[in-house]
């Protein structure tokens, strides 16, 4: 397995610390809003990574945090806490919105066939772990107390900036818009481990600590949760590219300062999904969610396939036109598999299975080339072999692709509601002799693979695929 490592900036052979055991950590969602489909691109590709490792015979233990405290509006130490902002927006408590958006996140993951990690750890449930690590960092001289807050002193490490291309002189006030002057810090790049004093709105959730009542910084949660559940030696750490700096850079500083040795070997980062105006982000206000795609009649797995069609290290621009193309290809794919199932004859030809399995493995082992893995799937459909052999390969590939290729379609309730609404609108248009509107509705449905049929009993529909 070859993987690009952000740390070395090279595609490297993946060698776990402990034979076939892989310890994998994923930065989880900040649960102050729904996840947008950009966030979910990262989680889809991390899911493919985990499933590829399993497919290749590794045993993966995966842990994910849930950020329900400490993530400020800027990824550095400024701005309001995002959770507090979300709670105010919705007139709820922080814990209420944390629960609601955590549940919504895992619902979205389910719809996208993203496996839930076996260890899911909310940040607010690990306060004693942060205190233990911060105490040790103070003891070892990596951290200092200043005007109520505890800071990490980045000059205590030789290679603080090793994960990122940032230069120290970019961290001075004025060079970057997220760097604010903080006279309590020894160095402009130092970051907060524990807050007792913030110039922003007061926190709803605070805890006792040896330094006073306060709350943890965002970065410390991932270091502590990862070390607690996955141990001192981590194989792979994942996130979106925006996490490289400062979040992951600070995680390395804290964990290695605490442990006194190298912590994580491979850093896996997924490039952003952009919309026509740039990076998709929750703070922009309106953003695309899985529910919105469902309301518009898309199968979430068409979005999963849309992500698999491009490489995780390339930026991806989302357009409805692009998604329509993939949704059509997905419907056709399911239709072809359905036909194979209806006529599943022959004996599995294991020679053919071996050759195409190897092609699939080669694609994924080459820094997760999911587009090539999909091409291999399409090659299998075209093979001059019996249907049983093709189905055997498709079932096997779907362990990683997770596109439900062999599953019979059940119509999602949101999709059903959308279709019924559209049929109703079309019937009204027809009654009003507004045939242009009626045709436009039929065509809109057709583009999504929904075929309208007018029968004597009324209007029905059929899904292509
Ligand atoms: P958050 O909920 O903001 O903490 O982000 C959750 C995950 O989504 C993190 O790993 C981010 O790096 C990632 N992420 C944020 N925006 C995007 C985007 N537009 N495209 C892909 N991944 C993203
Ligand atoms: Zn994290």
């Amino acid at each position: 397995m070859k993987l690009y490592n952000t740390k070395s900036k090279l595609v490297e052979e993946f060698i776990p610390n402990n034979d076939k055991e892989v310890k994998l950590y994923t930065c989880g969602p900040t649960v102050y809003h729904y996840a947008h489909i950009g966030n979910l691109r990262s989680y889809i590709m991390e899911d493919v990574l985990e499933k590829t490792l399993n497919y290749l015979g590794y045993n993966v233990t995966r842990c994910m945090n849930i950020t329900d405290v400490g993530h400020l509006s800027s990824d550095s130490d400024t701005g309001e806490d995002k959770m507090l902002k979300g709670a105010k927006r919705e007139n709820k408590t922080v814990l209420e919105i944390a629960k609601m958006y955590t549940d919504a996140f895992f619902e979205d993951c389910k719809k996208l066939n993203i496996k839930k990690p076996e260890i899911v750890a909310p940040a607010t449930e690990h306060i004693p772990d942060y205190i233990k690590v911060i105490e040790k960092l103070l003891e070892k001289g990596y951290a200092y107390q200043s005007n109520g807050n505890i800071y990490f002193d980045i000059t205590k490490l030789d290679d603080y900036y090793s994960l990122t291309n940032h230069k120290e002189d970019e961290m001075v006030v004025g060079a970057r818009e997220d760097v604010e002057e903080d006279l309590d810090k020894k160095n402009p790049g130092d970051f907060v481990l524990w807050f007792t004093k913030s110039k922003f709105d007061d926190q709803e959730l605070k805890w006792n600590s040896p330094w006073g009542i306060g709350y943890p910084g965002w970065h410390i949660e991932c270091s502590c949760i990862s070390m607690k559940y996955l141990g001192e030696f981590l194989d792979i750490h994942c996130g979106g590219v925006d996490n490289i700096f400062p979040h992951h850079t600070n995680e390395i500083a804290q964990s290695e300062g605490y442990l006194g040795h190298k912590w994580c070997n491979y850093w896996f980062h997924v490039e952003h999904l952009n919309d026509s105006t740039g990076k998709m982000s929750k703070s922009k206000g309106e953003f695309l969610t899985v529910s919105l795609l469902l309301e518009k009649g898309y199968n979430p797995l068409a979005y999963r396939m849309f992500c698999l069609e491009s490489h995780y290290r390339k930026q991806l621009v989302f357009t409805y036109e692009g998604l329509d193309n993939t949704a059509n290809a997905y419907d056709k794919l399911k239709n072809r598999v359905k036909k194979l199932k209806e006529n599943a004859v022959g004996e599995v030809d294991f020679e053919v299975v071996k050759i195409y399995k190897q092609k699939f493995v080669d694609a994924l082992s080459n820094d997760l080339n999911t587009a090539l893995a999909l091409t291999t799937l399409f090659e299998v459909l075209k093979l001059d072999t019996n249907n049983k052999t093709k189905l055997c390969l498709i079932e096997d590939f779907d362990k990683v692709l997770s596109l439900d290729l062999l599953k019979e379609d059940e119509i999602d309730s949101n999709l059903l509601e959308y279709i019924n609404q559209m049929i109703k609108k079309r019937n009204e248009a027809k009654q009003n002799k507004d045939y242009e509107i009626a045709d436009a509705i039929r065509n809109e449905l057709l583009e999504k693979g929904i075929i309208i049929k007018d029968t004597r009993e009324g209007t029905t529909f059929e899904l292509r695929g």
Side-chain angles (χ1 to χ4, degrees):
M1 174 79 174
K2 286 201 161 64
L3 272 183
Y4 179 80
N5 188 351
T6 311
K7 179 92 181 182
S8 64
K9 305 190 177 45
L10 295 170
V11 175
E12 289 179 38
E13 188 64 42
F14 172 63
I15 306 165
N17 283 304
N18 186 7
D19 195 25
K20 286 280 179 190
E21 295 296 318
V22 177
K23 307 275 187 219
L24 194 149
Y25 185 83
T26 305
C27 287
T30 308
V31 282
Y32 73 113
H33 221 319
Y34 293 107
H36 56 65
I37 59 171
N39 301 126
L40 291 160
R41 178 192 189 194
S42 288
Y43 295 111
I44 288 170
M45 300 319 289
E46 290 161 7
D47 181 64
V48 173
L49 172 66
E50 179 181 1
K51 286 175 180 163
T52 298
L53 291 166
N54 281 324
Y55 187 85
L56 295 174
Y58 294 101
N59 182 22
V60 183
T61 311
R62 181 163 174 204
C63 174
M64 179 195 274
N65 67 307
I66 299 290
T67 299
D68 51 6
V69 69
H71 194 172
L72 305 188
S73 294
S74 131
D75 279 352
S76 301
D77 298 328
T78 58
E80 208 175 0
D81 187 293
K82 291 187 179 187
M83 292 302 295
L84 197 62
K85 209 167 149 182
K88 276 194 202 156
R89 186 188 60 228
E90 297 186 22
N91 240 334
K92 294 202 167 85
T93 67
V94 162
L95 285 179
E96 276 167 354
I97 66 156
K99 163 132 188 38
M100 176 175 139
Y101 289 120
T102 303
D103 291 349
F105 172 72
F106 286 116
E107 275 303 309
D108 287 345
C109 286
K110 213 176 193 180
K111 292 187 180 116
L112 291 163
N113 279 347
I114 298 169
K115 183 176 162 271
K116 190 173 180 177
E118 47 268 78
I119 306 158
V120 174
T124 46
E125 290 175 18
H126 295 79
I127 303 299
D129 300 292
Y130 314 143
I131 292 176
K132 184 183 90 181
V133 171
I134 297 170
E135 277 183 322
K136 182 88 169 266
L137 288 173
L138 280 163
E139 203 182 292
K140 290 175 94 173
Y142 285 106
Y144 60 93
Q145 189 163 9
S146 174
N147 197 19
N149 294 337
I150 309 294
Y151 293 89
F152 190 98
D153 182 345
I154 63 161
T155 61
K156 293 284 175 339
L157 291 168
D158 295 336
D159 54 355
Y160 169 72
Y161 288 102
S162 68
L163 190 69
T164 161
N165 293 324
H166 280 81
K167 300 278 173 300
E168 203 159 344
D169 55 9
E170 287 175 358
M171 292 305 302
V172 294
V173 177
R176 288 177 27 165
E177 63 179 87
D178 58 342
V179 181
E180 275 193 24
E181 192 169 21
D182 183 343
L183 297 174
D184 300 331
K185 293 182 181 182
K186 284 190 193 165
N187 316 289
D190 291 353
F191 57 93
V192 178
L193 300 167
W194 187 270
F195 291 94
T196 67
K197 277 217 183 93
S198 164
K199 51 187 167 180
F200 301 97
D201 245 12
D202 214 4
Q203 278 289 329
E204 204 175 286
L205 296 176
K206 286 194 274 190
W207 296 267
N208 268 323
S209 81
W211 320 288
I213 296 173
Y215 62 99
W218 171 39
H219 319 295
I220 194 72
E221 69 179 77
C222 285
S223 284
C224 295
I225 288 172
S226 171
M227 290 190 286
K228 176 170 181 159
Y229 295 102
L230 301 174
E232 288 190 11
F233 297 94
L234 185 62
D235 291 303
I236 310 179
H237 194 309
C238 308
V241 286
D242 57 309
N243 284 162
I244 298 173
F245 185 84
H247 187 49
H248 290 167
T249 300
N250 292 350
E251 279 188 48
I252 296 176
Q254 299 159 151
S255 304
E256 297 193 351
Y258 172 78
L259 293 169
H261 61 71
K262 188 173 178 188
W263 170 50
C264 173
N265 284 337
Y266 300 87
W267 288 85
F268 176 90
H269 289 109
V270 180
E271 252 300 348
H272 279 152
L273 179 84
N274 296 327
D275 57 23
S276 52
T277 61
K279 185 197 151 194
M280 206 170 279
S281 86
K282 291 186 209 179
S283 52
K284 270 193 187 171
E286 212 175 90
F287 49 81
L288 283 170
T289 58
V290 169
S291 308
L292 196 70
L293 292 185
L294 275 166
E295 269 170 37
K296 287 183 183 285
Y298 291 101
N299 182 334
L301 293 183
Y303 177 65
R304 183 174 172 108
M305 182 155 147
F306 178 78
C307 293
L308 299 186
E309 283 171 340
S310 71
H311 195 253
Y312 75 91
R313 282 201 287 125
K314 291 215 173 88
Q315 287 191 0
L316 179 58
V317 177
F318 177 84
T319 60
Y320 280 109
E321 205 185 359
L323 186 60
D324 282 339
N325 286 339
T326 308
N328 279 334
Y330 179 68
D331 287 342
K332 282 191 191 138
L333 177 61
K334 287 238 12 177
N335 203 15
R336 288 169 81 173
V337 177
K338 194 173 158 199
K339 297 239 160 73
L340 294 178
K341 274 171 71 187
E342 282 163 10
N343 192 19
V345 290
E347 290 292 313
V348 176
D349 183 338
F350 288 104
E351 270 311 302
V352 174
V353 169
K354 199 170 144 196
I355 294 166
Y356 281 86
K357 252 181 95 83
Q358 190 56 49
K359 276 190 151 197
F360 187 70
V361 164
D362 289 346
L364 291 172
S365 304
N366 184 11
D367 194 24
L368 230 55
N369 191 338
T370 47
L372 193 57
L374 281 176
T375 305
T376 311
L377 171 72
F378 285 106
E379 275 175 32
V380 166
L381 288 168
K382 286 194 208 130
L383 275 180
D384 185 16
T385 183
N386 64 57
N387 289 356
K388 270 255 172 73
T389 307
K390 291 183 187 180
L391 286 166
C392 171
L393 280 162
I394 293 164
E395 188 174 14
D396 187 61
F397 294 178
D398 213 28
K399 288 178 194 157
V400 178
L401 304 175
S402 294
L403 292 171
D404 282 356
L405 295 174
L406 286 131
K407 204 166 151 192
E408 297 294 332
D409 276 328
E410 289 163 23
I411 301 185
D412 180 274
S413 56
N414 286 314
L415 177 60
L416 192 62
E417 199 186 313
Y418 161 78
I419 298 172
N420 286 334
Q421 289 269 352
M422 294 297 269
I423 290 178
K424 199 169 147 220
K425 273 194 205 158
R426 180 169 166 268
N427 286 342
E428 280 164 11
K430 272 173 50 181
Q431 263 178 4
N432 298 335
K433 301 203 181 341
D434 212 338
Y435 296 113
E436 230 171 80
I437 293 188
D439 284 350
I441 293 174
R442 174 195 280 274
N443 289 339
E444 187 180 327
L445 289 170
L446 201 59
E447 264 173 33
K448 298 195 164 93
I450 304 153
I451 304 153
I452 294 283
K453 293 196 168 165
D454 294 312
T455 68
R456 234 181 280 165
E457 286 76 37
T459 309
T460 61
F461 67 92
E462 208 173 78
L463 294 183
R464 197 169 48 209

